[in-house]
Amino acid sequence: MVAITAAKFSRTSVPLLPPRENSLRIFHLLAAGDLPKAAATLFSLSSPDSAAYAAVLHACSSRRLLPLGRSLHRHLLLSPSPSPSIDLFLSNHLINMYSKCGRTDLARRQFDEMPRRNLVSWTALLTGYSQAGQHQQCIQLFSSMLVHYSPNDYGIVAVLSSSAGARDGHHGKQVHALVSKISLDANVFVGNSLIAMYSSCDGLEDDGFLVFKTMSFRNHITWNSMIAGFLQGGRLHLSLQLFVRMRRCGVEFDRATLISVISSCSSIRECCQLHSLCIKSSFASEAEVATALVKVYASHFGDFEVCYEVFSAVTKHDLMSWTGIMTASCEQEPTEVVFMFCQLRREGFKPDRHALSIAVKASAGFATERNCMALHLLILKSGYGNDTVLCNALIHAYARCGNHKLAVCIFDQMEFHDRVSWNSIIKAYAAHGKGKEALNAFQCMDVPPDSATFVGILTACSHCGYVNEGRHIFNQMSEVYGIEPQRDHFACMVDILARAGELLEAEELINQMPMEPDPVVWSALLGACRKHGETNIGRKAAQKLLELEPSNSVGYVIMSNLYCATKSFGDAAFVRKGMKECGVKKEPGLSWIEVGDHVHEFSVGGHRHPHREEILVELRRLVIKLKEMGYVADTRLVLHEIDEEHKEEHLLNHSEKMAVVFGLMNASSNWDCLKIMKNIRICEDCHNFIKLTSKYAGRELVVRDSNRFHHFTDGTCSCGDYW
């Protein structure tokens, strides 16, 4: 940053030369890139001419050096005669400088104080407003200018850009009519701006294409604008077709062309063809192009390895390319995202709010909140503590990592809550079984709820057994808020009714759905049928579920468990046989717990864990103690062919039991609670086992299964055994 003031230089700091010689010296210094010395020379002169001031002001504009530009302005105002007054020529340069430096308020003040203005004055301020995103001011100024001057192509381009930014197609069409009237429609730059304007306004893409077709001359920016316009309007096939036509016409493509065309890909084949073209044309090593490829590959392939290969081919990464690969990897490889985030920092990049939000999102899937806390500290240090997007991400991450108290703390400290903030805290309460708090948050919302809000609040009602509240909120959706229930809302409502034993009402609601029920709806009904021992409705729900997802084990497993619970072992065996014949395998139960700096994974029996034998010894000791406290193994769902003793041994090997015992074996005295993650729903026996363990150990045990969080404390669970 160059910051020079007139007071820092005496009048004798450079040799006295004739005025023309001094101006030439300033021009030479600017041409050599030595702006500080040029400014010093200017400030030392007793009577610099307008051309010298204009040259230095132009350099300030190019480098966005507002402090030096303001110093020059002050020097102009304070310099005695025969120094030049701020004439029209210099006033236009001042407007341009202030506009380029983002101070359109100062540019407007200079404009308003001018005793006389020309077309350049109006155009400089128009361009400043447009580039600053102050689109309404630009449009209003353009209307005022028409009383005095006919616009040139620069003014037209500025106001068309603002019409595009404001999505004001009506005004854009008026400008287009003016363009035709003053015969600027043949100007390629104006034509390109017209295409961009029409493409930005909903439903006007065809008008943009009409401009494109009628242009007598097109440059590569014209083609790029139209390709990007089709992409923006969601007409991906036309974007690709126009690119093919561009190639046939022999027009050279550039980076911008490829980014738009790659983003238009809707199949793997198209993506691979464009990737090959990028490699042949040496664009694959450029960060912007690689980022576009990574995004498309992630959408269609979903393969982290392919995305990382594209990313690795980049010769010089920027923050955007890092953010792109992190975004592509967030869902499937959250651990890799954290490693990449650390690497980008090691390479000297300062993460922005987008990179930080992706890292926080990735951390939401971890066993504990430790990584979230480290990122939270970095967010505060980076000055983003009040950023709404990042606070929302932290609420979600803390809640997903099992610490809803920190999620609530973040929410309470936020200066501003948007709809996502409210949705996040409602979902956090719902996941942790805090139904009353979720309902209270819903009532306190100061923004209108959306579809996601109702999914969150209905989930809270489902987890807490609030049947009447759920019915009321479900009815309010359309009657009060005008939001028609979608499949997610019906699934929540079916779950609310079915869990409470209202199976006939739940079935009737499914029959009344205006759309076809999806697997989530049928699995909610089937799960409740297993809980309440209702085989007739359960059989119908299982049949529907298997029709929709024949390769998913959930329908087979729940139906088998339902038959076992009702002692229909022959039917259960028939279901398992059908599952085997169809080649469907049950998803293995896995549990994770973080101890020290390592995350330990447990499968059934813990066969892959190095401390398996010690864990089993300690587990058997614990079972003896729990039986003294009233624990009875729930063997109803274990295969009936196995004798009772082996049934208990089978239950003993469940992954969550082994994870809990391993955590207790390694727990230090200052650990308030142990947190376990599980990939499928916790079974009833493990639920009862961990409840009693929390009382015996005197610790809070938190289990996150595929459905919700269970906070076990002193022999009770936050779900109230309603799960």
Side-chain angles (χ1 to χ4, degrees), residues 547-693:
E547 287 175 6
L548 293 171
E549 292 187 329
S551 60
N552 193 332
S553 64
V554 172
Y556 294 101
V557 172
I558 296 178
M559 201 62 211
S560 173
N561 290 343
L562 171 57
Y563 284 133
C564 286
T566 56
K567 297 186 178 181
S568 301
F569 297 114
D571 292 330
F574 181 77
V575 171
R576 290 196 302 275
K577 181 182 177 183
M579 180 177 173
K580 186 176 181 179
E581 289 174 349
C582 293
V584 179
K585 293 184 178 180
K586 180 180 179 293
E587 182 181 3
L590 299 172
S591 296
W592 297 268
I593 184 169
E594 186 173 338
V595 174
D597 293 330
H598 300 284
V599 175
H600 295 259
E601 180 182 279
F602 291 89
S603 57
V604 174
H607 295 288
R608 291 179 289 182
H609 199 278
H611 300 288
R612 176 177 183 269
E613 295 305 322
E614 301 109 282
I615 295 170
L616 287 173
V617 170
E618 192 61 36
L619 179 55
R620 291 189 178 95
R621 287 179 187 162
L622 179 60
V623 169
I624 293 170
K625 296 291 185 181
L626 296 186
K627 283 184 174 180
E628 293 173 1
M629 297 171 63
Y631 169 67
V632 177
D634 187 350
T635 60
R636 289 175 299 162
L637 303 184
V638 184
L639 298 177
H640 77 287
E641 296 94 341
I642 304 174
D643 59 53
E644 199 65 26
E645 182 180 346
H646 286 93
K647 285 182 180 180
E648 289 195 26
E649 186 68 24
H650 177 82
L651 292 172
L652 200 66
N653 286 324
H654 280 195
S655 62
E656 54 264 59
K657 289 191 179 79
M658 302 198 76
V660 166
V661 170
F662 182 70
L664 291 173
M665 288 168 60
N666 292 275
S668 60
S669 57
N670 59 349
W671 280 15
D672 293 327
C673 71
L674 299 177
K675 294 177 181 175
I676 296 98
M677 286 174 58
K678 186 170 175 59
N679 64 328
I680 58 177
R681 288 187 69 167
I682 187 172
C683 73
E684 291 183 42
D685 179 70
C686 288
H687 191 268
N688 295 331
F689 175 90
I690 298 174
K691 268 201 309 183
L692 286 171
T693 301

Side-chain angles (χ1 to χ4, degrees), residues 304-319:
F304 170 74
E305 295 298 331
V306 174
C307 292
Y308 195 75
E309 283 178 18
V310 175
F311 172 78
S312 301
V314 176
T315 52
K316 187 177 180 181
H317 291 113
D318 58 13
L319 185 57

